[in-house]
């Protein structure tokens, strides 16, 4: 079953749900999201009964906002436990400690941040909400002297982001401080089938503008990237799945390949693919693979066939996050046409209410060069050049 929820459901997913008769739970939010007429719906009572009757209920969400519904309906079920062990980043570090026994991390209550002895952590390190989403509240701490300023920024940001998502999605009561994992970063959509075997549905490299960048601006995928990492990533995801004991379970995992080639997990986002219908939809645009259908039908992609005619093509997801320093309420307009003029082959632009969320939208593009000028330009842009202030 699919649980759709705010803040966004793409037209592509809506059409997929309808065309492939994928059942959607008939929640009040689902009725407000303008699903395609004729989409199969099941009642909340039916869905709750299905979750109660199965040890491994088949559930895929579009948003972590749906976790509140799962918590209400399934209480202390095994499904809720598995969601919590991934969604809570401190719990996830404890779960995967056998894979990284020497990895340094600490969970700190927000009220105790200022007094935390940062000198006890290996530097540089990363701090982020224990329960978080996007890169909200994420900072890199390079030195002991930087700590007071970082704490100040976090406390200031809390005032601006606490209302954006429910506490099941972003909870700012505590933060996770952990050592930096160096190397290339990737975002992976996958699922575990009914036998507990991992199946990779897409791999995207998360690109950064600098060592200090912790944002989400550009993710790219290509035939060469898929062929290079597919086998190793599938084996690594399988190790995490065995620790968690999961079957029939979709997820979005962020990981890094260190300079010596080792794989290190950053976090796992349960019961969904990339947020805001991004990476899963992008995989269809790139390779013609529909991850939602593949998961529901328990299909294993034939990557050799999917990648056959993809030589020389790079597909990128551009997250138009607001790094301008200008608050949404102070922005009169965003020049989307000027933005599109940067790119030789834009595939789709999805606009977002930038007064409600700190993002202007999402853009899918195709290039023939991994380091194409338009990707480098947007990667380093604050987006101020597209903003008209009030």
């Amino acid at each position: 079953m699919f649980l759709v929820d705010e803040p966004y459901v793409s037209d592509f997913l809506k059409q997929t749900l309808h065309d492939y008769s994928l059942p959607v739970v008939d929640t009040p939010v689902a009725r407000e999201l303008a699903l395609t007429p004729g989409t199969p719906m099941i009642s909340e009572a039916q869905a709750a009964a299905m979750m109660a009757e199965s040890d491994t209920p088949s559930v895929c969400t579009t948003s972590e906002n749906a976790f509140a519904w799962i918590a209400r309906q399934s209480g202390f079920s095994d499904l809720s436990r598995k969601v919590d062990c991934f969604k809570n980043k401190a719990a996830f570090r404890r779960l995967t400690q056998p894979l990284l026994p020497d990895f340094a991390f600490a969970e700190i209550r927000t009220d105790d941040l200022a007094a935390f002895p940062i000198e006890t952590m290996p530097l540089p390190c990363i701090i982020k909400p224990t329960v978080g989403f996007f890169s909200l509240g994420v900072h890199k701490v390079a030195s002991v002297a930087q700590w007071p300023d970082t704490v100040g920024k976090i406390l200031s940001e809390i005032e601006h982001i606490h209302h954006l998502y429910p506490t099941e999605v972003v909870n700012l009561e505590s933060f996770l401080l952990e050592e930096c994992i160096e190397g290339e970063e990737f975002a992976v959509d996958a699922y575990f089938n009914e036998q507990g075997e991992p199946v990779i549905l897409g791999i995207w490299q998360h690109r950064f503008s600098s060592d200090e960048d912790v944002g989400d601006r550009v993710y790219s995928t290509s035939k060469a990237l898929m062929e290079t990492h597919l086998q190793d990533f599938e084996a690594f995801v399988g190790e995490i799945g065995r620790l968690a004991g999961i079957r029939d379970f979709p997820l979005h995992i962020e990981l890094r390949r260190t300079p010596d080639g080792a794989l290190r997990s950053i976090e796992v986002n349960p019961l969904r693919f990339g947020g805001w219908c991004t990476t899963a939809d992008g995989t269809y645009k790139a390779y013609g693979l529909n991850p939602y259908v593949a998961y529901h039908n328990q299909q294993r992609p034939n990557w050799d066939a999917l990648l056959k005619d993809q030589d020389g093509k790079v597909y990128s997801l551009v997250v138009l996050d607001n790094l301008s320093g200008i608050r949404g309420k102070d922005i009169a307009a965003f020049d989307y046409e000027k933005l599109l003029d940067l790119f030789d082959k834009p595939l789709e632009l999805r606009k977002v209410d930038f007064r409600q969320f700190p993002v202007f939208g999402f853009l899918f593009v195709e290039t023939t060069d991994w380091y194409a000028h338009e990707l480098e330009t947007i990667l380093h842009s604050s987006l101020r050049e597209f903003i008209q202030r009030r």
Side-chain angles (χ1 to χ4, degrees):
M1 73 188 86
F2 282 76
L3 272 166
V4 298
D5 211 313
E6 295 177 337
Y8 181 81
V9 178
S10 67
D11 289 342
F12 172 72
L13 177 55
K14 291 177 182 179
Q15 200 63 47
T16 294
L17 295 170
H18 173 271
D19 291 352
Y20 290 87
S21 298
L22 306 184
V24 178
V25 182
D26 190 18
T27 64
V29 176
R31 291 192 288 273
E32 296 174 358
L33 289 172
L35 299 180
T36 304
T39 298
M41 309 294 286
I42 58 175
S43 71
E44 292 183 90
Q46 284 177 291
M50 291 167 63
M51 291 171 62
E53 292 168 1
S54 173
D55 292 335
T56 57
S58 179
V59 179
C60 186
T61 70
T62 62
S63 164
E64 294 180 0
N65 290 27
F67 291 169
W69 186 92
I70 293 174
R72 288 196 303 270
Q73 298 296 331
S74 63
F76 298 100
S77 70
D78 191 51
L79 180 64
S80 287
R81 180 190 64 79
K82 289 171 180 172
V83 167
D84 290 343
C85 84
F86 288 128
K87 182 57 185 169
N88 184 299
K89 294 177 174 61
F92 174 69
R93 282 297 173 212
R94 291 188 286 269
L95 171 72
T96 56
Q97 207 159 17
L99 300 178
L100 294 170
D102 299 323
F103 189 79
F105 66 94
E107 184 177 8
I108 314 164
R109 289 189 56 80
T110 304
D111 292 342
D112 298 330
L113 285 174
F116 182 79
I118 189 64
E119 64 275 5
T120 63
M121 289 291 296
L123 297 175
C125 61
I126 297 290
I127 186 166
K128 52 191 174 183
T130 304
V131 177
F133 180 61
F134 257 174
S135 290
L136 297 173
V138 179
H139 293 270
K140 188 173 186 177
V141 184
S143 66
V144 172
Q146 186 185 342
W147 180 242
D149 183 56
T150 301
V151 172
K153 288 179 180 178
I154 289 172
L155 297 179
S156 176
E157 289 169 354
I158 286 174
E159 297 301 315
H160 297 292
I161 65 178
H162 76 276
H163 66 284
L164 295 178
Y165 299 95
T167 56
E168 290 83 6
V169 179
V170 179
N171 190 326
L172 302 170
E173 292 182 358
S174 68
F175 281 74
L176 180 69
L177 193 63
E178 61 182 28
E179 67 176 85
C180 281
I181 303 172
E182 303 298 337
E184 295 178 322
E185 183 169 316
F186 301 88
V188 180
D189 289 327
Y191 76 91
F192 287 86
N193 63 21
E194 293 173 346
Q195 291 73 45
E197 301 165 336
V199 178
I200 300 294
L201 299 176
I203 300 174
W204 297 75
Q205 184 167 343
H206 185 182
R207 303 171 63 177
F208 297 95
S209 61
S210 68
D211 289 341
E212 288 71 38
D213 183 9
V214 294
D216 290 305
R217 178 58 56 82
V218 176
Y219 294 80
S220 299
T221 187
S222 69
K223 175 181 179 178
L225 180 141
M226 292 296 305
E227 291 179 337
T228 299
H229 300 290
L230 180 63
Q231 186 173 353
D232 288 349
F233 284 11
E234 191 163 83
F236 182 74
V237 171
E239 291 181 5
I240 294 175
R242 283 188 289 275
L243 287 173
I246 51 179
R247 293 183 291 120
D248 204 348
F249 197 95
L251 51 80
H252 179 78
I253 179 170
E254 298 173 13
L255 56 86
R256 286 203 172 201
R257 188 184 284 277
T258 65
D260 63 0
L263 297 180
R264 299 287 183 263
S265 55
I266 299 173
E267 62 185 47
V268 173
N269 301 284
L271 297 186
R272 68 168 175 86
F273 304 128
W276 289 74
C277 296
T278 49
T279 51
D281 291 28
T283 293
Y284 182 80
K285 292 180 183 299
Y287 308 120
L289 170 68
N290 190 323
Y292 307 107
V293 176
Y295 166 63
H296 183 267
N297 293 340
Q298 298 279 291
Q299 297 169 339
R300 182 176 290 274
N302 182 342
W303 282 109
D304 288 340
L306 292 168
L307 299 173
K308 182 178 179 181
D309 298 319
Q310 293 294 334
D311 292 297
K313 298 179 182 180
V314 177
Y315 300 92
S316 297
L317 160 67
V318 179
V319 180
L320 301 169
D321 45 345
N322 186 354
L323 303 179
S324 68
I326 305 171
R327 294 178 298 179
K329 68 178 183 179
D330 297 324
I331 298 174
F334 187 88
D335 194 338
Y336 292 100
E337 293 305 315
K338 181 179 178 181
L339 170 81
L340 289 175
D341 286 343
L342 279 180
F343 298 92
D344 293 331
K345 194 171 182 179
L347 301 177
E348 183 184 356
L349 171 66
R350 298 175 176 177
K351 300 177 183 179
V352 170
D353 183 352
F354 53 80
R355 296 184 183 90
Q356 182 179 3
F357 298 99
V359 60
F360 297 102
F362 301 88
L363 177 65
F364 298 93
V365 301
E366 179 184 333
T367 61
T368 56
D369 182 358
W370 192 265
Y371 296 100
H373 67 91
E374 59 257 55
L375 294 178
E376 292 300 306
T377 297
I378 202 67
L379 182 61
H380 291 84
S381 174
S382 70
L383 303 184
R384 275 179 170 263
E385 63 267 39
F386 308 108
I387 292 174
Q388 178 183 337
R389 302 188 69 151
R390 289 186 181 277

